[in-house]
Amino acid sequence: MSDSDHEAVTLRPGEHWQLRLPALGAAGYTWTWRTEGDAGAVKIDQGRPPAEELEGRPFGTSADALFTVTAVRPGRIALQLEHHRVWEQDKPPIERRRYDIVVT
């Protein structure tokens, strides 16, 4: 399992920050996230790369996970992400990431 150091991100209301993480979806892994702190300070959307980026890739290839964080109002949150198989409750994630987000 890999735990990355946490990173600090500063945004202003209306700004967007996009996070792209390598995923192993073809092997059953997914990124899940949770926040601590002022969750109303940001809006978080999870998605996939655009279809045209995935065109021509071999069937069964994993696609990266995209997270878009939109700053809503001043506040501070910690965004914690885990890369794991959701049905393997007894196993630790293969990777964890943490981002401290401040909206000024």
Side-chain angles (χ1 to χ4, degrees):
M1 175 182 65
S2 167
D3 286 337
S4 71
D5 292 337
H6 63 276
E7 183 178 327
V9 177
T10 301
L11 300 168
R12 291 187 181 135
E15 288 184 331
H16 304 280
W17 174 61
Q18 191 168 73
L19 175 62
R20 183 180 192 122
L21 300 175
L24 297 172
Y29 288 89
T30 189
W31 283 97
T32 57
W33 57 273
R34 63 186 171 91
T35 60
E36 292 178 4
D38 186 2
V42 299
K43 178 179 178 253
I44 302 170
D45 294 305
Q46 184 174 355
R48 296 172 42 110
E52 56 272 3
E53 185 180 316
L54 302 175
E55 269 180 34
R57 292 176 64 175
F59 181 76
T61 302
S62 295
D64 291 346
L66 299 179
F67 294 87
T68 302
V69 178
T70 303
V72 176
R73 61 175 169 77
R76 177 183 296 265
I77 70 151
L79 171 61
Q80 298 182 49
L81 299 111
E82 294 185 338
H83 198 201
H84 62 108
R85 291 178 171 139
V86 294
W87 65 87
E88 292 182 336
Q89 302 277 326
D90 59 334
K91 293 186 179 180
I94 60 171
E95 187 172 2
R96 287 188 176 115
R97 297 195 184 199
R98 178 186 167 111
Y99 298 90
D100 294 323
I101 302 169
V102 178
V103 180
T104 58

